[in-house]
Amino acid sequence: MTFKALLASKPGDAIATHLVDFQDEDLMPGDVTVVIEYSTVNYKDALALSGRSPVIRQFPLIPGIDFAGIVETSSHPGFAAGDRVLVNGWGLSQTHHGGFAQKARVSGDWLVKVPEAFSTQQAMAIGTAGYTAMLSVLALEHGGLSPERGDILVTGASGGAGSVAIALLSGLGYRVIASTGRQEETDYLHELGAAQVIDRRTLSEAGAPIGKERWAGVIDSVGSHTLVNALAQTQYRGVVAAFGLAQGADLPGSVLPFILRNVTLAGIDSVNAPQSARVQAWSRLARDLDVDKLARTTQVVGLAEVPAIAGRVLEGKVRGRTVVDVNA
């Protein structure tokens, strides 16, 4: 029996992708084989397919850092045939075949059971972007923030992680300020729960090392000057959760927010997060995420459409989350 997969190769300097027929014996080692139902296109997937960042470390490889589906066979004690499972990160799309295929074989230690509140499609509408957003909310709470402390800024607001972050925060009672370069998405951001939408250009240029206190916390997917300016305007004992580099990986700022205002900068890693953190994040997503708002963020495409969507993600032209129906 064969199954479809999107295979990335690098015949020269550029990465090429092709839909191919794979067989079970082509899969990599693992103790759980999963029939994939859905994957998703994250910013990291777009970086991988474009070659702009060396995400894929060996070729040929099936990209896709996420998938959700049904266990076909398992020798792992935690999973049995028929279980609904998902995976985010680990080695997928780096050194291990990922989710842009109809089947995968992985370590059961990477898997999380899909919460009962979600279908496998909804789990991938969340994906790594939404799971990272939840890890960021948990970091804000760990730093002592609550809705009474003040506003929360979300940068890259119309992207996948930003969209889910707004839906989560507004549902928890926070007043959310959404920063975006796409003012045409203002109505969409208000529908997700943003109380105010600001132009990203107010944060994206070099600014003062410390500024007027504006927000109690920040969820940042942008990095560079945007993150520095967000830090400079964070209130005393505020918390900033950072996980992205859409503007850049540099941090051209000052220590003043840290030593004058006791601001906490919390780094968020979703790829190698311990299983306990993953289970906590998915449990909270099941409790706190409004699935109606999630549906507003989501479009569904087929495997063949993934390379084109990835290009549009890098151009900042994709709103919210893109689910991949691997059987479409």
Side-chain angles (χ1 to χ4, degrees), residues 1 3 27 32 40 51 58-59 110 115 123 147 156 211-212 222 243 252 254 257 263 289-290 305 322 328:
M1 295 290 291
F3 59 91
L27 293 171
V32 181
T40 181
Q58 63 184 62
F59 294 91
W110 296 354
K212 180 181 177 181
V222 179
F243 58 81
S254 164
V263 170
L289 182 59
D290 184 334
E305 299 171 81
T322 300

Side-chain angles (χ1 to χ4, degrees), residues 5-12 14-22 26-29 48-49 55-64 91-98 100:
L6 186 69
L7 190 68
S9 60
K10 198 172 184 181
I15 293 174
T17 55
H18 302 280
L19 276 177
V20 300
D21 290 323
F22 246 56
D26 298 321
L27 293 171
M28 291 180 170
L49 290 170
V55 175
I56 302 175
R57 299 175 187 171
Q58 63 184 62
F59 294 91
L61 198 73
I62 299 171
L92 298 188
S93 194
Q94 294 180 297
T95 58
H96 200 95
H97 287 320
F100 295 154

Side-chain angles (χ1 to χ4, degrees), residues 37-42 66-69 84-88 113-131 160 164 282 285-287 289-300 320-325:
E37 295 183 330
Y38 297 96
S39 185
T40 181
V41 183
N42 299 285
D66 294 333
F67 67 74
R84 301 185 314 138
V85 295
L86 62 88
V87 62
N88 309 111
K113 290 185 178 179
V114 176
E116 289 297 323
F118 300 133
S119 66
T120 52
Q121 180 177 329
Q122 288 170 328
M124 286 298 97
I126 297 167
T128 285
Y131 146 68
V164 177
W282 279 99
L285 283 161
R287 191 189 83 182
L289 182 59
D290 184 334
V291 293
D292 290 332
K293 287 185 178 180
L294 179 66
R296 292 177 204 155
T297 75
T298 306
Q299 64 169 325
V300 181
R321 303 287 296 124
T322 300
V323 172
V324 181
D325 181 347

Side-chain angles (χ1 to χ4, degrees), residues 272-285:
N272 297 301
Q275 199 70 353
S276 58
R278 293 168 184 267
V279 170
Q280 182 187 16
W282 279 99
S283 175
R284 284 290 302 274
L285 283 161

